[in-house]
Amino acid sequence: MGKTILSFLIVSCFALVAGFALLHKGLIPTHDGEFHVIRFYEFSRAFFDGDFYPRWASDLNAGYGVPLFNYVYPLPNYFALLIHAFGFSFIESFKIQMFLSLIIGAIFFYLWSREFWGELGGIVSSVFYTFTPYHFVDVYVRGSVGEVLALAIFPALLWSVTKFAKTKKQVFFPLSSVFFALLIFSHNILALMFSAFLVFYVSLLVYKEKDKRSLIYQYTSILVLGLGLSSIFWLPALLEKQYVVGLDIYEVSNNFPLLYQLLIPTWGSGLSEGGLQDQISFQIGVANLTVMFLCPIFLLLYRKKDNKKTIVLFFLFWFSVVFLLMLRASEFIWETIPLMNYFQFPWRFLSLEMIITSFLAGGVVYFGKAKKILAVFLIGVSFILGIGYAKVAYYMDRQDNYYIANPVFIDGTNSPGNAFGIVGFNRNLKKADAKFVFNKGSGTFNIKEIKSSEYFAVVTASEDSEIVVNTAHFPGWGVFVEGKRIDVQKTQDGLISFQLPEGTHEVMIRLEDTAVRKVGIVGFYLALLTTLILFVRALFVTIKR
């Protein structure tokens, strides 16, 4: 127990050093950071308006709103909401979230790797994971808080499914499902990538066990339960894609890194522009490549019989596969296999390459001689070669209001080039002065309440009228007059409109769940209930023993 606590402290200290620059005052300049500050604010506003699973960002799109949260991974927003509740700004929430993700990931990577390589190997693998150059690209260059969070959760999932195979303790069944769901909630693109790898990894765990049939059933159930827990997000995001544009704006063919970019150390804060024009680092890392050179050699020199050789061969194979998928030579694979274009950037597979090489770093220590000296050497190399990337060029001394009150940020659709939007909506519309207007007829509006996705007003129509609500039309918006639903129409500009007879009426407009969203919600609650029952059952069995 004492060794484990010491190991926790060691890997946590390395992670703290790697993320120390995040603790400085001010927002770090990244590709996505400013987008996330706005998301956190909009999500928080909707949440405290009573939408506990928000789907609509009401201030965006020049105040006409956009269903951003119906399609964007929600966990970073909830995480930021929690941090913000302790008095931190949304800018600070952005940085604290990535800082904590580094520490959480380091601890779980150690726990997972330790299952194969022991205490020393687990520490080495964790340090390599923390100091892999692409990890710093995600944190300090891209500011991709969802990817950083997913990179922290995936080692937790790998640890949990491994412990389930080794110990058969039932507590790891629901725990694995929860981690799988959290991975999907963190970043849907990386979740798909990691899930594909997870299936093969779990197959290897099953192969090494005697009771294969039972384990296959249980692992399948884990994945299904995890999908159920996250169905509130992925089901509408997948089945309601046809209502929006701008979810897929990058061409895979323009984003293959060159071979030298993967092998030779480079650094930059620019964007991925294809080929020699790239101003961002795609390096696997000198320390990581050194491990990939040493690991096969140490494996060949290791004369003892050891079933861990199989796991090394598995990871060496996957390193080669992932390496190939990042090169233009694999373009035919990207064009052939369904959903591959969903990953957008072939270099995004560096996230998986990072997991593979860091895990095998512990294997070098395990199969090598003079293990302590080798471990110190590898940790030193990884730290020295990586620490230079854990820095920020400068800090922007800004408060949340700089973004929240700035039309440049709040009036867009929170996407590069404002590409994201609703099908049929006129993007040339200017910001409206009022939420309700008479398109035909006349009268007055007495606005009682305006929330993120719910409006209440008393409307006095002097004659039969047509009312236009200055909110973008999207499936789920309903209009209720005196509590009774009436037909909702869509204007030529893509706004909500409805007919109202002469007289004074109480009018409620609110965004409701479509059939698809309701199925996702039911799936979530059923899976949540199942998960709680499984946890209680596992706890009861533990106490009984």
Side-chain angles (χ1 to χ4, degrees):
M1 190 64 171
K3 285 185 178 180
T4 300
I5 293 174
L6 180 60
S7 299
F8 279 169
L9 290 174
I10 291 172
V11 299
S12 296
C13 284
F14 274 103
L16 191 152
V17 171
F20 188 74
L22 294 167
L23 302 181
H24 192 282
K25 181 182 178 182
L27 181 64
I28 61 177
T30 60
H31 298 170
D32 297 345
E34 294 172 322
F35 290 127
H36 285 295
V37 172
I38 294 297
R39 287 183 191 180
F40 295 163
Y41 166 73
E42 286 294 303
F43 192 89
S44 174
R45 182 167 177 246
F47 183 87
F48 286 109
D49 274 345
D51 296 337
F52 299 126
Y53 188 89
R55 298 190 187 273
W56 192 260
S58 59
D59 295 313
L60 301 185
N61 196 23
Y64 294 101
V66 70
L68 180 69
F69 304 122
N70 198 51
Y71 302 95
V72 173
Y73 40 87
L75 188 58
N77 300 323
Y78 279 109
F79 206 163
L81 192 69
L82 177 62
I83 297 170
H84 187 64
F86 285 93
F88 294 99
S89 69
F90 290 117
I91 289 174
E92 291 168 333
S93 298
F94 169 72
K95 295 186 297 178
I96 291 172
Q97 184 170 170
M98 290 200 291
F99 177 77
L100 293 176
S101 294
L102 285 171
I103 295 176
I104 293 169
I107 291 173
F108 275 111
F109 210 98
Y110 153 72
L111 287 173
W112 170 50
S113 302
R114 185 184 66 170
E115 291 297 315
F116 297 92
W117 315 131
E119 292 285 341
L120 207 54
I123 293 172
V124 171
S125 286
S126 178
V127 173
F128 263 75
Y129 155 85
T130 299
F131 284 88
T132 295
Y134 186 70
H135 211 167
F136 294 125
V137 170
D138 259 353
V139 174
Y140 292 112
V141 177
R142 299 184 64 220
S144 182
V145 66
E147 292 197 25
V148 175
L149 189 53
L151 283 169
I153 292 172
F154 189 48
L157 175 58
L158 292 170
W159 166 74
S160 186
V161 297
T162 303
K163 290 291 287 185
F164 183 66
K166 285 190 171 186
T167 67
K168 305 301 186 295
K169 290 183 178 179
Q170 287 302 306
V171 68
F172 291 106
F173 185 107
L175 188 62
S176 297
S177 295
V178 169
F179 283 139
F180 184 47
L182 291 176
L183 179 65
I184 296 171
F185 282 135
S186 297
H187 197 275
N188 42 312
I189 295 177
L190 280 194
L192 180 61
M193 179 191 300
F194 289 156
S195 296
F197 176 79
L198 179 68
V199 170
F200 289 96
Y201 175 76
V202 164
S203 298
L204 179 64
L205 295 178
V206 170
Y207 171 75
K208 296 171 69 176
E209 297 295 322
K210 292 181 179 179
D211 190 5
K212 294 180 175 54
R213 181 176 295 181
S214 175
L215 206 53
I216 289 172
Y217 170 77
Q218 289 177 307
Y219 274 132
T220 302
S221 300
I222 285 172
L223 296 179
V224 171
L225 186 58
L227 287 172
L229 286 168
S230 56
S231 61
I232 193 173
F233 163 56
W234 65 263
L235 195 63
L238 187 63
L239 298 184
E240 295 186 337
K241 282 183 65 175
Q242 70 271 26
Y243 302 124
V244 294
V245 295
L247 291 175
D248 304 311
I249 61 173
Y250 298 102
E251 288 289 337
V252 169
S253 59
N254 295 332
N255 287 283
F256 283 101
L258 300 174
L259 179 61
Y260 86 89
Q261 291 176 303
L262 296 175
L263 302 179
I264 299 175
T266 57
W267 195 255
S269 58
L271 300 172
S272 172
E273 298 178 6
L276 297 173
Q277 297 178 337
D278 282 322
Q279 299 175 10
I280 184 173
S281 176
F282 297 136
Q283 62 171 308
I284 293 172
V286 173
N288 303 67
L289 290 172
T290 300
V291 163
M292 300 313 297
F293 173 75
L294 291 176
C295 198
I297 294 175
F298 280 42
L299 188 65
L300 289 172
L301 295 176
Y302 194 78
R303 299 300 181 184
K304 299 178 183 178
K305 288 185 177 181
D306 196 318
N307 59 10
K308 291 185 177 64
K309 290 182 178 181
T310 305
I311 198 78
V312 172
L313 292 174
F314 173 85
F315 275 83
L316 287 173
F317 169 77
W318 273 101
F319 173 84
S320 303
V321 171
V322 173
F323 191 90
L324 174 63
L325 288 174
M326 289 190 288
L327 297 176
R328 186 168 294 278
S330 67
E331 190 169 3
F332 72 97
I333 298 176
W334 287 81
E335 293 173 350
T336 303
I337 299 178
L339 294 180
M340 284 293 287
N341 63 343
Y342 185 66
F343 298 126
Q344 299 177 331
F345 311 113
W347 48 261
R348 200 169 233 147
F349 274 85
L350 284 166
S351 297
L352 189 51
E353 209 73 304
M354 165 184 161
I355 300 288
I356 293 170
T357 56
S358 299
F359 177 77
L360 289 177
V364 172
V365 174
Y366 179 85
F367 290 108
K369 297 179 179 180
K371 298 183 187 302
K372 290 183 179 179
I373 296 174
L374 187 57
V376 171
F377 169 75
L378 288 175
I379 288 173
V381 169
S382 178
F383 178 79
I384 292 169
L385 293 178
I387 190 60
Y389 303 128
K391 60 183 180 181
V392 178
Y394 61 93
Y395 296 87
M396 298 181 287
D397 189 11
R398 296 171 178 173
Q399 304 301 317
D400 289 344
N401 280 339
Y402 177 86
Y403 298 100
I404 296 168
N406 192 333
V408 173
F409 296 100
I410 201 71
D411 283 355
T413 60
N414 203 254
S415 60
N418 291 320
F420 179 68
I422 301 173
V423 172
F425 178 79
N426 181 5
R427 299 194 179 205
N428 296 319
L429 289 177
K430 302 295 183 182
K431 195 163 188 173
D433 295 325
K435 183 57 71 176
F436 297 89
V437 294
F438 280 93
N439 190 39
K440 294 179 182 178
S442 60
T444 60
F445 299 103
N446 182 6
I447 308 297
K448 297 295 186 180
E449 189 174 46
I450 297 288
K451 291 185 177 181
S452 298
S453 57
E454 184 176 280
Y455 320 136
F456 177 55
V458 175
V459 183
T460 300
S462 302
E463 55 189 304
D464 291 352
S465 304
E466 180 186 355
I467 312 295
V468 171
V469 184
N470 283 311
T471 293
H473 185 281
F474 185 72
W477 278 109
V479 177
F480 302 83
V481 177
E482 272 79 60
K484 295 181 179 179
R485 179 187 286 272
I486 65 171
D487 291 337
V488 179
Q489 287 130 21
K490 182 178 180 181
T491 70
Q492 290 184 339
D493 289 325
L495 302 175
I496 297 170
S497 73
F498 60 94
Q499 305 296 320
L500 196 66
E502 180 183 349
T504 299
H505 307 278
E506 290 186 346
V507 178
M508 174 77 75
I509 295 97
R510 63 171 175 260
L511 182 66
E512 298 191 311
D513 292 313
T514 60
V516 169
R517 293 171 214 160
K518 287 178 181 177
V519 170
I521 292 170
V522 170
F524 165 75
Y525 280 116
L526 288 176
L528 181 61
L529 178 62
T530 303
T531 302
L532 291 174
I533 291 172
L534 289 172
F535 268 123
V536 171
R537 181 175 151 190
L539 180 63
F540 178 76
V541 170
T542 303
I543 294 173
K544 192 175 179 180
R545 287 178 179 174

